[in-house]
Amino acid sequence: MPDVTNNAISIGELSRLSGLSTHTLRFYEAEGILQPAGRNSGGHRQYHPADMLWLEFVLRLKQTGMPLAEIRQYAALRAQGETTLQARLAMLKLHRERLATRIEELSTCASVLDDKIGIYRQMITESGAPADEAAHAADPQSP
């Protein structure tokens, strides 16, 4: 999310900045992932820089594959304060280990794709045919 000023922003503005729908933001609040937003004199939700930073971290956790139930658990621990630092550290370390494993798996998949791409390039070069025809003609059933 881009930087914003120190002023509070509305749920619509947070939605625009985060790429999440207002419905999702309300859901996160109902689930305890986001703390209940402060309200302005008109009763509208107002989010502050700390809320935005927390949401940015939540989105990183989601992006790296942490299940919503674990994010909810992490948020609950965070809300309890410093007495949960060890538990939060353990959660993040476990998630980091799972992420490292997934990165390794994806790296292996990328290497397999690189090998297949190399084979097709070699076949295309050797056949002298245009790229799209040579790949299909060489092995129409091959992935």
Side-chain angles (χ1 to χ4, degrees):
M1 284 187 299
D3 290 334
V4 295
T5 66
N6 284 334
N7 298 329
I9 62 171
S10 70
I11 193 169
E13 291 170 297
L14 184 58
S15 171
R16 184 181 57 77
L17 290 170
S18 67
L20 299 175
S21 69
T22 57
H23 176 77
T24 299
L25 292 169
R26 287 185 194 102
F27 171 78
Y28 282 0
E29 186 176 315
E31 291 293 309
I33 293 168
L34 292 177
Q35 292 294 311
R39 304 286 178 142
N40 66 14
S41 59
H44 299 283
R45 286 175 172 85
Q46 293 289 284
Y47 294 93
H48 297 277
D51 301 317
M52 293 175 261
L53 289 172
W54 168 244
L55 180 59
E56 190 172 3
F57 183 68
V58 166
L59 294 177
R60 293 279 184 214
L61 293 176
K62 276 191 64 176
Q63 187 177 29
T64 58
M66 183 179 272
L68 195 57
E70 287 182 28
I71 294 172
R72 188 180 307 113
Q73 180 184 3
Y74 184 88
L77 289 170
R78 178 180 178 262
Q80 293 173 35
E82 289 189 13
T83 60
T84 64
L85 289 174
Q86 287 293 337
R88 287 185 274 162
L89 175 61
M91 284 187 76
L92 292 180
K93 286 172 62 177
L94 176 61
H95 182 62
R96 181 63 175 93
E97 290 170 14
R98 289 187 307 223
L99 181 59
T101 299
R102 184 69 181 136
I103 289 169
E104 200 172 303
E105 291 168 351
L106 290 172
S107 179
T108 299
C109 291
S111 292
V112 170
L113 289 173
D114 289 342
D115 291 346
K116 193 65 157 179
I117 289 167
I119 289 168
Y120 281 137
R121 284 184 174 152
Q122 182 178 355
M123 291 169 68
I124 290 167
T125 300
E126 290 172 359
S127 73
D132 56 348
E133 291 176 26
H136 182 70
D139 190 0
Q141 299 301 315
S142 178

